[in-house]
Amino acid sequence: MFYTSDDCNYKHISLSITNDPLNVTVWNPTGFIFPYELWSKSGVVLFASSENELKQHYLFWGDSQHAPLEGIGIATSNDGQNWNDTGLYLIKTGDVYDFDWGWIEAGPPPIRLNSGDFLFLYNGGSEDPATFSQVGYVILNGTDPSLVITRSANPLLESNQSWEQNPSKVYMTGLIPHSQGCPKQLSNFLVGTM
């Protein structure tokens, strides 16, 4: 289980392991994934499996609101416990579009598309995240998820109802694939990509 720990100075992606998740007494907390001084509040894992045929696990992590991060970073692991930060970014703030130039962070874990590629949603905004956030997407290469095939030019979701505003907060934290896969009209969904 990955979780965010907070000691009032830094937030960290942390890990705890068990073979019996319903037994609270057998969880083994292993600690921070990255060095203490590195703020790492947000992250999601794409685990290698026989279904997706990936050779290693991927962790897309980071919260660009806190230095020295510039976007969503990429870490890899062979065992799911020991992670190596590659120093590379999946996407950065200010790369292309207006809606997410100010900040970005990981959303829910990527899901596999019928094409074999992965849909990855992220949270971002052009203004202070305390007051405004939106949801964007990237399509990741099915054999090397560190490669971005395309990125949304416009947000998929933003607050436009009065009850969602002041402050305006929209965060994507979960995503469940439809049992029959993506709809045939997915091409309509991908309008405005880079």
Side-chain angles (χ1 to χ4, degrees):
M1 175 178 66
F2 292 86
Y3 61 96
T4 302
S5 56
D6 184 350
D7 67 359
C8 299
N9 292 312
Y10 290 92
K11 294 188 186 324
H12 301 93
I13 300 174
S14 299
L15 178 64
S16 192
I17 300 168
T18 185
N19 288 326
D20 184 5
L22 299 179
N23 183 347
V24 70
T25 64
V26 295
W27 281 93
N28 176 26
T30 63
F32 309 142
I33 292 180
F34 301 112
Y36 175 80
E37 298 79 15
L38 190 56
W39 184 286
S40 60
K41 170 179 76 72
S42 178
V44 297
V45 177
L46 175 56
F47 286 107
S49 70
S50 58
E51 291 178 353
N52 63 32
E53 299 179 350
L54 295 177
K55 304 298 182 214
Q56 60 187 352
H57 310 298
Y58 291 84
L59 172 63
F60 303 115
W61 71 281
D63 176 354
S64 68
Q65 302 165 53
H66 300 279
L69 300 177
E70 302 174 48
I72 298 173
I74 304 168
T76 58
S77 173
N78 291 320
D79 62 8
Q81 298 179 34
N82 301 293
W83 292 88
N84 173 45
D85 180 28
T86 65
L88 302 173
Y89 290 96
L90 188 66
I91 55 175
K92 291 184 178 182
T93 55
D95 272 353
V96 184
Y97 303 115
D98 290 339
F99 83 92
D100 61 1
W101 68 262
W103 65 276
I104 53 178
E105 67 179 36
I111 60 169
R112 194 143 194 224
L113 301 171
N114 291 337
S115 66
D117 299 318
F118 296 93
L119 170 66
F120 175 57
L121 302 180
Y122 66 94
N123 302 301
S126 58
E127 302 174 34
D128 182 345
T131 60
F132 195 73
S133 58
Q134 301 167 312
V135 176
Y137 74 86
V138 291
I139 304 296
L140 307 178
N141 182 284
T143 56
D144 182 357
S146 68
L147 301 176
V148 173
I149 295 173
T150 191
R151 180 175 177 179
S152 55
N154 299 297
L156 290 177
L157 184 65
E158 60 185 345
S159 53
N160 56 15
Q161 303 296 318
S162 60
W163 54 270
E164 296 175 313
Q165 299 172 358
N166 198 19
S168 173
K169 295 290 243 183
V170 176
Y171 282 96
M172 182 65 70
T173 58
L175 181 64
I176 299 172
H178 192 278
S179 61
Q180 297 176 5
C182 292
K184 291 183 179 179
Q185 64 272 21
L186 182 63
S187 60
N188 296 334
F189 168 77
L190 299 178
V191 171
T193 59
M194 64 181 226

